[in-house]
Amino acid sequence: MLTWKEVINFSVKGNPTPDKRVEKTEAEWRAQLTPEQFRITRHKGTERAHTGELCTAYDEGKYNCVCCNTPLFDSTIKFSSSTGWPSFTQPIKENAIKYEKDTTFGMVRVEVMCNTCDGHLGHVFPDGPEPSGLRYCVNSESMILDKEIA
């Protein structure tokens, strides 16, 4: 189970190696994604709070990256944070997520991205429920819910 200290270490000292890499040109991403998905995942945008369709979805399944279909989060670790974005306590695998220090908007935060394709997902905060204490605050537009459980 990842802790805040490990998240900070990844953001400062380097991220775990992903299982694979997916790299495409901006034109290829633009052709594949909706304009909103492209704005959020490729240009570090955010959706308005309480507008994403996955915010209140609690169906069983895996939340995969909308860009490369890499599994990121499992429905069993999703929780209601009342923040207006889907929230999770842990990634599905330690190396599924990439972490970077984000100092935009006069704040210091930790940005989370898909470690396979560098798609922007959202941010992680140390104010989640125990036992991890983590809250991955993720844009609905950056994920797809795969309801097929293996």
Side-chain angles (χ1 to χ4, degrees):
M1 176 178 303
L2 285 174
T3 65
W4 182 244
K5 182 178 179 181
E6 290 168 315
V7 165
I8 295 300
N9 280 338
F10 285 142
S11 73
V12 173
K13 297 180 180 176
N15 288 284
T17 302
D19 292 339
K20 64 179 181 174
R21 289 287 300 157
V22 172
E23 296 182 18
K24 296 182 180 185
T25 66
E26 185 165 325
E28 289 171 318
W29 287 125
R30 193 177 294 278
Q32 173 187 327
L33 302 168
T34 69
E36 185 70 349
Q37 290 168 338
F38 181 81
R39 182 184 71 79
I40 289 170
T41 62
R42 308 322 303 175
H43 287 276
K44 302 181 187 285
T46 192
E47 62 201 14
R48 286 189 350 261
H50 304 286
T51 62
E53 76 175 61
L54 296 178
C55 190
T56 57
Y58 288 93
D59 298 328
E60 290 184 13
K62 307 275 189 258
Y63 290 83
N64 297 347
C65 176
V66 73
C67 298
C68 67
N69 206 36
T70 296
L72 302 170
F73 303 99
D74 188 274
S75 62
T76 60
I77 47 126
K78 187 175 186 209
F79 70 99
S80 177
S81 66
S82 300
T83 61
W85 291 276
S87 297
F88 304 88
T89 58
Q90 289 285 302
I92 203 163
K93 289 174 65 176
E94 183 176 286
N95 69 343
I97 303 295
K98 180 178 182 177
Y99 304 89
E100 284 189 5
K101 183 179 178 181
D102 176 3
T103 57
T104 59
F105 305 112
M107 299 179 263
V108 178
R109 303 178 290 177
V110 177
E111 177 188 3
V112 291
M113 293 164 284
C114 173
N115 205 17
T116 300
C117 71
D118 297 335
H120 172 75
L121 303 172
H123 293 86
V124 61
F125 303 95
D127 61 1
E130 294 299 328
S132 74
L134 298 177
R135 175 175 55 94
Y136 288 80
C137 187
V138 183
N139 290 288
S140 286
E141 290 286 338
S142 64
M143 300 180 295
I144 51 173
L145 176 57
D146 182 358
K147 295 181 184 179
E148 302 245 345
I149 307 277

